Amino acid sequence: MSRNNLQLYIHLVFVTKYRDYLITDRFEKQLHQFLWNKSLELELTPLMINGMQDHIHLLLKITSTITMGSVVKNLKATSSRLLNELTQSDFFEWSRGYGAFTVSKKDVSFIAEYIRNQKTHHDKGTVNPELEN
């Protein structure tokens, strides 16, 4: 094979500090769009982004040239700054930890749908604990 063929998919989850409900409806779409654009800037392929007031899910196709730690650090740091600028305060922080789960290519559409329907899963109590942090 003369070129690389990588199919590396990650389901990434991180939560607000103290799991406070800090991601309000007012800023949610801007946060999702920002994370989408930042992922592209990092040469990742975002497939789905959604979440709740206290956490966010991202489904990303990643490259072999970037570490998970650097992805998370960059996404969390820059999105914290964005939310603090939008709210004109310094109240927003992500928790220190995160969850990163490998996803097989055949499960990408299932995970994408799960992320797309976050609010429904949380409202109806159908959250899959293995897919949450």
Side-chain angles (χ1 to χ4, degrees), residues 29-41:
K29 284 185 175 55
Q30 287 172 285
L31 172 62
H32 295 177
Q33 188 62 55
F34 177 85
L35 289 168
W36 189 279
N37 292 338
K38 181 54 81 171
S39 296
L40 292 171
E41 183 181 305

Side-chain angles (χ1 to χ4, degrees), residues 82-99:
L82 168 78
L83 288 169
N84 283 319
E85 287 172 13
L86 291 172
T87 60
Q88 298 178 344
S89 70
D90 288 329
F91 78 93
F92 189 89
E93 287 184 64
W94 294 110
S95 178
R96 288 182 56 173
Y98 63 92

